Amino acid sequence: MLTSPLLIDSHGRVMRDLRVSVTDRCNFRCVYCLPETEEAAHFYRTKFDAIRNPSPKKIPLPALHPRSHILTFEEIERIVRVGVSLGIQKIRLTGGEPLLRKDIEGLIARIATINGVEDLALTTNGFLFLRKAPALRDAGLKRISFSLDSLDRDNFKRMTGRDGLDEVLAGIREAQRIGLGPVKVNAVVIRDLNDGEIVSLARRAVDDGFSIRFIEFMPLDSSRAWQKEAVVTGREILDRLSTAFELERVQSANASETARRWRIKGTSAEVGIIAPVTEPFCGHCNRLRLTADGKIRTCLFSLVEHDLKGMLRSDCTDHLVARRLREIVSGKEERHHIGEEDFAQPERTMSCIGG
Ligand code: SAM
Ligand code: SF4
């Protein structure tokens, strides 16, 4: 019987963090997420020669959901409200590219006024941020994370499929200028593609006053071409940073935090390493994910999803939605199985699940 008013799984973990994917569409085609061409998809098999000279042959996009299958703002707000009544404190909007969702600031305004939402953040590739910035802040957004894998214009284009470095850098500056700081920047590190930029990205964080998180490449790419050889491990990232900087460990009060963090001595800049592949943090996971089409995922690597949209579109009470959420959470996976013989990549990819 489910008696606790909180979302507790069978391993005793309490869910506090809900990541909401607001769209599965994206204006970028990152090689590790939603590659645009066969060559980009298999960049690590071909030793990267192909994407230096990409062929125009495009891969069809994974099936996008018709708009009627996508949750409305009212529906997302309702799920967030129910989640908050069950102990969720932190909401992160993601995608796909969340800034592609029309009137995203309207959704932010709705969520920002829910009593109990302690943190409201958004993860973006940053390309459209400049034109949206004041509206997002005024709507009540508290924090923003940008994805930035390279400071070299050609390499940025190779990795994201778009010539957008200047726009993203301008977006980061604007977020800082309008008070959406401290800004976080996420960089997925891929061997032989941008691992040579780890130190320069960290140096940029020092110079420009943002925090940077280096993320291990995970098997969630739409081409299913992930190989462990392309993963630059958290250990290796730390070694490279340690050769260039004096690092001081920052202890976190929050056991569920995914990043291990360091301050670069003599500066206010912080570097973090998120190493889900080689140093899993499943034991402290407090996250749930809601997909744009209304499915709850209890793990990035879940092989099953739980539909809430059907309930919302029938005459279902909040009480029943809450009960269903608690049932779903009770079955949350203990851990992921990356690197083990029984590992199976989920059908949906990062661009649909939301990072
Ligand atoms: N489009 C937005 C962006 O790129 O910031 C939000 C969605 S994106 C799926 C969220 C995060 O997932 C990004 O920081 C991205 O770098 C990361 N990501 C995507 N595919 C990944 C993969 N295969 N391994 C590790 N991180 C990945
Ligand atoms: Fe789009 Fe973000 Fe995936 Fe890049 S990582 S393709 S920006 S969803």
Side-chain angles (χ1 to χ4, degrees):
M1 200 170 71
L2 299 162
T3 48
S4 169
L6 295 174
L7 294 168
I8 305 185
D9 73 6
S10 60
H11 309 283
R13 296 170 298 188
V14 181
M15 302 302 114
R16 298 292 187 191
D17 181 336
L18 176 64
R19 304 193 166 202
V20 180
S21 172
V22 295
T23 178
D24 48 9
R25 289 157 209 262
C26 192
N27 47 352
F28 276 20
R29 291 288 178 270
C30 301
V31 288
Y32 50 76
C33 181
L34 196 57
E36 188 155 45
T37 62
E38 287 294 343
E39 288 73 13
H42 296 281
F43 65 95
Y44 16 89
R45 290 196 184 137
T46 56
K47 295 279 175 240
F48 315 105
D49 289 341
I51 55 167
R52 295 201 163 103
N53 301 296
S55 94
K57 205 173 87 202
K58 298 210 169 154
I59 327 181
L61 278 172
L64 296 172
H65 293 285
R67 287 193 202 283
S68 62
H69 290 207
I70 299 296
L71 292 182
T72 63
F73 286 173
E74 289 75 14
E75 289 167 337
I76 294 175
E77 183 188 350
R78 184 169 170 206
I79 294 173
V80 171
R81 271 188 200 285
V82 173
V84 167
S85 75
L86 297 171
I88 292 289
Q89 298 167 334
K90 183 171 164 188
I91 305 294
R92 175 171 293 276
L93 303 180
T94 177
E97 173 46 43
L99 300 187
L100 285 180
R101 180 85 189 243
K102 200 167 160 232
D103 191 31
I104 182 73
E105 55 276 23
L107 177 64
I108 290 169
R110 283 168 178 264
I111 296 176
T113 53
I114 297 175
N115 237 335
V117 173
E118 292 177 9
D119 192 14
L120 175 52
L122 178 136
T123 304
T124 175
N125 64 34
F127 190 75
L128 297 174
F129 180 73
L130 264 192
R131 66 179 86 151
K132 292 260 183 188
L136 296 172
R137 181 204 48 200
D138 296 347
L141 186 68
K142 293 206 170 75
R143 292 191 304 120
I144 185 150
S145 301
F146 288 85
S147 297
L148 173 67
D149 305 318
S150 172
L151 291 167
D152 174 87
R153 185 172 171 186
D154 291 337
N155 209 28
F156 181 97
K157 189 172 169 198
R158 227 171 264 142
M159 290 192 73
T160 63
R162 298 290 178 266
D163 188 8
L165 177 62
D166 290 345
E167 286 81 352
V168 177
L169 291 175
I172 293 172
R173 281 194 296 274
E174 181 65 0
Q176 292 172 315
R177 192 187 71 78
I178 67 170
L180 270 179
V183 168
K184 271 192 210 158
V185 167
N186 296 326
V188 177
V189 185
I190 308 224
R191 188 169 308 286
D192 293 346
L193 197 47
N194 67 340
D195 55 334
E197 293 195 56
I198 293 171
V199 169
S200 51
L201 281 160
R203 197 156 280 134
R204 185 73 178 233
V206 173
D207 294 343
D208 290 4
F210 55 76
S211 301
I212 186 153
R213 305 271 188 268
F214 295 100
I215 306 176
E216 284 180 348
F217 175 32
M218 290 182 273
L220 287 169
D221 52 321
S222 63
S223 50
R224 296 167 184 275
W226 179 89
Q227 294 185 340
K228 71 174 185 326
E229 290 70 25
V231 177
V232 180
T233 65
R235 180 72 248 173
E236 204 177 330
I237 295 170
L238 181 59
D239 287 347
R240 302 233 195 145
L241 289 168
S242 304
T243 56
F245 307 103
E246 212 176 319
L247 301 175
E248 291 170 328
R249 187 70 197 265
V250 177
Q251 295 300 342
S252 173
N254 175 6
S256 298
E257 197 175 336
T258 52
R260 282 188 297 135
R261 299 189 279 134
W262 290 262
R263 190 168 322 284
I264 297 182
K265 210 167 173 189
T267 78
S268 58
E270 219 186 79
V271 292
I273 295 177
I274 303 180
V277 177
T278 62
E279 300 166 49
F281 30 80
C282 307
H284 296 290
C285 180
N286 67 352
R287 285 171 291 285
L288 284 182
R289 291 182 161 79
L290 174 64
T291 64
D293 61 332
K295 309 276 198 303
I296 293 285
R297 296 180 62 92
T298 46
C299 173
L300 265 180
F301 296 94
S302 291
L303 297 174
V304 285
E305 299 183 333
H306 310 271
D307 185 53
L308 282 190
K309 187 180 69 206
M311 287 187 89
L312 299 186
R313 293 188 182 179
S314 66
D315 265 344
C316 189
T317 61
D318 283 355
H319 177 73
L320 283 179
V321 177
R323 200 166 81 183
R324 180 72 189 121
L325 262 177
R326 288 195 289 136
E327 264 168 24
I328 293 169
V329 167
S330 70
K332 181 173 160 84
E333 301 77 347
E334 184 182 13
R335 61 186 183 86
H336 71 62
H337 294 261
I338 303 173
E340 296 170 27
E341 232 168 69
D342 60 348
F343 175 73
Q345 183 169 336
E347 201 172 300
R348 290 229 254 189
T349 60
M350 196 64 138
S351 64
C352 300
I353 301 168

